[in-house]
């Protein structure tokens, strides 16, 4: 069974940092893209970043470029999202997803999703 489990969310002040983790099991995630998505209250779910570990390629949405960094530890079957210089508009539930065959932030390309972790950025 494919499982993705996010962790690391929480409450931080603007300008602070958080590191999200996505532990993947039952799936050879380094053969496919792994993505991070987020959904704020009243907003549609949007792509944040994705990574193809074998190719060493990453992609970022313009809204987080220069502030967020995606990485992977293949030995631990884990993908990370380091979030720096957080803004209140980053507040959302963050989801990791797996299954895309190339670097793309299109929800339809991902077949497996985690349960999400809440990130709240104050003031």
């Amino acid at each position: 069974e494919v499982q993705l489990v996010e962790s690391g969310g929480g409450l931080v002040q603007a300008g602070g940092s958080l590191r999200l983790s996505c532990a993947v099991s039952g799936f050879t995630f380094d053969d496919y893209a792994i993505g991070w998505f987020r959904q704020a209250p009243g907003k549609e779910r949007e792509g944040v970043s994705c990574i193809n570990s074998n190719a060493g390629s990453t992609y970022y949405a313009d809204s987080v470029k220069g502030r967020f960094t995606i990485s992977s530890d293949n030995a631990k079957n884990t993908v990370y999202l380091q979030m720096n210089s957080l803004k209140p508009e980053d507040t959302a539930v963050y989801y990791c997803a797996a299954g895309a065959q190339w670097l793309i932030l299109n929800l339809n390309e991902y077949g497996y999703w985690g349960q999400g972790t809440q990130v709240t950025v104050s003031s």
Side-chain angles (χ1 to χ4, degrees):
E1 179 183 353
V2 176
Q3 284 192 313
L4 299 93
V5 180
E6 303 98 329
S7 61
L11 174 64
V12 298
Q13 294 183 343
S17 298
L18 283 174
R19 191 191 197 195
L20 305 184
S21 299
C22 176
V24 182
S25 62
F27 186 79
T28 308
F29 74 90
D30 57 350
D31 287 341
Y32 302 92
I34 306 294
W36 284 98
F37 298 79
R38 67 186 182 185
Q39 188 165 19
K43 303 288 186 179
E44 295 183 350
R45 192 171 299 184
E46 64 176 353
V48 175
S49 183
C50 55
I51 184 170
N52 182 303
S53 297
N54 283 346
S57 301
T58 60
Y59 180 78
Y60 298 90
D62 289 341
S63 60
V64 306
K65 196 172 299 180
R67 299 187 297 122
F68 291 10
T69 303
I70 191 170
S71 63
S72 65
D73 186 335
N74 292 350
K76 296 181 178 180
N77 296 322
T78 301
V79 175
Y80 304 96
L81 185 68
Q82 179 67 46
M83 305 185 295
N84 298 326
S85 301
L86 284 162
K87 306 174 181 179
E89 49 263 46
D90 294 318
T91 295
V93 177
Y94 283 70
Y95 301 88
C96 63
Q101 296 185 12
W102 53 80
L103 286 174
I104 188 169
L105 291 175
N106 185 332
L107 277 67
N108 190 54
E109 298 295 328
Y110 293 84
Y112 305 99
W113 293 82
Q115 82 289 343
T117 185
Q118 177 70 48
V119 172
T120 303
V121 184
S122 64
S123 299

